[in-house]
Amino acid sequence: MKKKESKISTMKKCAVLLASAMLLATGCGKEDEKTIDGSVQNMEPVDITSGAGETGAPGDGEAADEGQQDGGAQEGQQDSGQGGAASGAGYQFTAKGVTIEMDADAAPVLEQLGEPVSYFEAASCAFEGLDKTYTYNGFELDTYPTGDKDYISMVVLKDDSVATPEGIAIGDTLEKLTQAYPEGSKQGDNMLVCEKGGMKLCFILQGDEVKSIEYRSTVLE
């Protein structure tokens, strides 16, 4: 009898332990479900078009656009040549209604100027590629190569049919020249130089008379 009672007691204990384990398992499952449900219900929707996610990465569409615009602006600056004068910072020459700046991309300028009177090219001494010279009525335009583009290196005024925007042409007097360009500095006896925005405007003199006018990029110096 004692052995039978001992077996029954043991079986009862096992049954109680098994029932307790099942209750604990059922309870844990419910708690997990509540936690998941609560997390989903309490989670605020993220607007991917208006702000950053949880990692703090920039998700603002406007900010991304600004970044792209900045990148385009930087690329544009690189296309402006190396002298830095192709943004209106230096002296400019205007012919046929076209504004010409040193170190500017030559292609659109040449297109607007139209067919030149003559053209010359030669292997560049300073860059890989060809230096090119385009001659028009009253002036000459030179270019230098960088990458797959040509940039304006020099404009030389050839006669008095053209003038600087400040009103100086070949044949004008030194007195008129210094009035138009008081910032100019005399270099030797035969040159007055004005420098601005990474380029130079040079007036070649013969006595007190202007004999040649040259817009020069400082990239080639």
Side-chain angles (χ1 to χ4, degrees), residues 80-83 103-104 124 127 130-132 142-146 149-153 217 219-220:
S80 296
Q82 300 179 29
D103 302 303
S124 176
F127 300 91
L130 298 173
D131 290 333
K132 301 173 184 178
D142 296 348
T143 69
Y144 64 91
T146 297
K149 290 187 177 183
D150 291 331
Y151 297 92
I152 299 172
S153 61
S217 166
V219 169
L220 302 181

Side-chain angles (χ1 to χ4, degrees), residues 26-38:
T26 303
C28 291
K30 288 182 180 180
E31 287 179 1
D32 288 343
E33 288 176 1
K34 286 180 181 179
T35 302
I36 294 172
D37 290 344

Side-chain angles (χ1 to χ4, degrees), residues 190-191 202-206 209-214 216:
N190 65 340
M191 184 181 292
C202 303
F203 298 91
I204 312 302
L205 304 169
Q206 185 175 1
E209 184 179 329
V210 177
K211 299 300 291 184
S212 179
I213 301 173
E214 300 177 359
R216 301 177 183 177

Side-chain angles (χ1 to χ4, degrees), residues 60-75:
D60 195 331
E62 294 180 0
D65 290 342
E66 289 175 1
Q68 292 173 356
Q69 291 172 1
D70 289 342
Q74 289 174 359
E75 186 175 347

Side-chain angles (χ1 to χ4, degrees), residues 111-175:
E111 183 178 357
Q112 293 178 73
L113 288 174
E115 192 71 21
V117 174
S118 64
Y119 168 80
F120 175 80
E121 66 181 31
S124 176
C125 297
F127 300 91
E128 292 185 6
L130 298 173
D131 290 333
K132 301 173 184 178
T133 299
Y134 302 82
T135 300
Y136 299 89
N137 292 325
F139 69 97
E140 172 187 295
L141 186 152
D142 296 348
T143 69
Y144 64 91
T146 297
D148 59 352
K149 290 187 177 183
D150 291 331
Y151 297 92
I152 299 172
S153 61
M154 181 181 293
V155 170
V156 181
L157 277 57
K158 310 291 284 187
D159 57 44
D160 61 2
S161 66
V162 291
T164 71
E166 292 77 19
I168 299 300
I170 291 174
D172 285 338
T173 64
L174 177 59
E175 182 182 0

